[in-house]
Structure formats: C-alpha cells, structure tokens
Amino acid sequence: MKKIEWNKNGWTVIQESDPEKHILEIACLAENGKVVEVRRRHNDGEEEKLTGKLDENHTLPMELEFFKKAVAKGEITLK
C-alpha cells in the first residue's frame, strides 16, 4: 500500500483501485479533523457510501487521528 497523504479537510484515498485484482477504491472525507464519510468507488464509476465501525463506542464521525491508527492496524470495519 502506498503512503497515505491524509487531509484534515477533504477527501483522502485510503485504498487505491486495482481492476486486475478486483480491488475497489476507498476514500474518506474529513471535515475539521473528523472523518465524516467513507465511500467505495466501483470500476464503472458508481459510488457507495459505507459505514465505519471499530466497536460500539467508535463509529463515524470519528477523530481523524484515531481513524488513521485504526486503518493502519486494520482494525476498522467498513461496510
């Protein structure tokens, strides 16, 4: 995975697409240092809004620094 350039305001791609491996792009939107939305982009251009959850106490919106650590550790579930 490439090094992620996190944005405190705006979209950040956290997983790049790879059509050959059937991997879809995943991006998150941060506003004022909180992740407020996560979307998956399909190869045909369709977008799907996802929910993000670590446990019962940690759902979106989530502090960006906490979200970054959860993504790096593979602890967050995106559905």
Side-chain angles (χ1 to χ4, degrees):
M1 181 190 283
K2 72 173 184 104
K3 184 177 186 305
I4 299 171
E5 298 293 330
W6 293 94
N7 295 311
K8 290 187 179 183
N9 287 300
W11 289 97
T12 298
V13 174
I14 60 175
Q15 176 181 289
E16 291 183 323
S17 66
D18 186 337
E20 291 178 7
K21 295 180 181 177
H22 302 286
I23 296 173
L24 305 175
E25 179 182 294
I26 297 177
C28 67
L29 174 63
E31 293 177 349
N32 301 315
K34 285 190 176 191
V35 175
V36 296
E37 187 174 326
V38 179
R39 289 190 179 215
R40 175 173 34 222
R41 292 189 179 103
H42 298 269
N43 296 339
D44 61 3
E46 181 182 339
E47 288 189 14
E48 176 183 10
K49 189 174 178 180
L50 303 174
T51 58
K53 183 175 182 180
L54 181 58
D55 58 35
E56 297 303 317
N57 298 318
H58 300 99
T59 58
L60 295 180
M62 190 181 294
E63 292 293 331
L64 178 60
E65 292 304 314
F66 187 83
F67 185 84
K68 285 167 52 173
K69 289 176 186 173
V71 168
K73 292 179 181 178
E75 295 176 337
I76 194 157
T77 301
L78 299 171
K79 295 182 182 182

